[in-house]
Amino acid sequence: MTTAIVNVFLKEGVLDPQGKAAHHALDSLGFEGVKDVRIGKQIVLQLDTDKEKAEQEVKEMCETLLANTVIEDYSIEIR
Amino acid sequence: MTTAIVNVFLKEGVLDPQGKAAHHALDSLGFEGVKDVRIGKQIVLQLDTDKEKAEQEVKEMCETLLANTVIEDYSIEIR
């Protein structure tokens, strides 16, 4: 069993309203020193393929479904 | 500047409808060998505090705002 961890984040320069909201809420709660908050998705896949095939397969999954590559970047980690 | 990476995931046994939907979609697209998909949040914080203080502060942020500890677990990585 192979575990693939995909992190999907909005590209630099794309407004992140969820992160902005969390940032404001942290300020309101009195947490000082927070300069920036960005919120992305972490997708953990359990795959029944070997590690060599997994990376290419997960890349295809990201391109077709898991990430919106117009506004999002992704990184893949195979364990 | 300290970077804190928080991963927030639904606890084991808590239904993950977003992950289930992605799993079904991957099946429909012909990706075989996917056994499980879990989707969580990754929150990246830029903090103006030193690394020692950061971990405790981020833990408080998780407990009060970033995670719903009834149904979610979180992990903190300080860089």
Side-chain angles (χ1 to χ4, degrees):
Chain A
M1 191 74 84
T2 305
T3 302
I5 299 174
V6 180
N7 290 317
V8 181
F9 266 84
L10 288 167
K11 291 186 182 188
E12 284 287 320
V14 177
L15 194 69
D16 177 3
Q18 201 185 355
K20 279 268 180 299
H23 192 169
H24 283 297
L26 288 170
D27 281 348
S28 306
L29 288 168
F31 290 105
E32 284 166 15
V34 181
K35 293 296 157 204
D36 191 40
V37 182
R38 304 278 287 177
I39 300 186
K41 276 180 293 185
Q42 188 174 66
I43 305 161
V44 179
L45 300 136
Q46 302 295 339
L47 301 167
D48 204 8
T49 45
D50 53 45
K51 289 195 197 319
E52 290 76 50
K53 277 188 194 165
E55 178 135 14
Q56 183 55 37
E57 201 172 74
V58 173
K59 193 162 183 286
E60 279 172 43
M61 291 177 195
C62 289
E63 293 288 334
T64 52
L65 181 79
L66 300 177
N68 175 355
T69 54
V70 177
I71 54 166
E72 290 172 330
D73 283 328
Y74 61 88
S75 65
I76 299 167
E77 188 190 328
I78 304 288
R79 280 192 192 162
Chain B
M1 191 72 86
T2 306
T3 302
I5 299 173
V6 179
N7 291 316
V8 181
F9 265 84
L10 288 167
K11 290 187 184 190
E12 285 287 320
V14 178
L15 195 68
D16 177 2
Q18 202 185 356
K20 280 268 180 300
H23 193 169
H24 282 298
L26 288 169
D27 281 347
S28 306
L29 288 167
F31 290 104
E32 284 165 16
V34 182
K35 293 295 156 203
D36 191 39
V37 183
R38 302 280 286 179
I39 300 186
K41 277 181 292 186
Q42 189 175 65
I43 304 161
V44 179
L45 300 137
Q46 303 294 338
L47 301 168
D48 204 7
T49 45
D50 52 44
K51 289 197 199 315
E52 290 76 51
K53 278 189 194 163
E55 179 135 15
Q56 183 55 36
E57 201 172 74
V58 173
K59 194 162 182 282
E60 279 172 42
M61 292 179 195
C62 290
E63 294 288 334
T64 52
L65 182 80
L66 301 177
N68 175 355
T69 53
V70 177
I71 55 166
E72 290 172 331
D73 282 328
Y74 61 88
S75 65
I76 299 168
E77 188 189 330
I78 304 288
R79 280 190 191 163

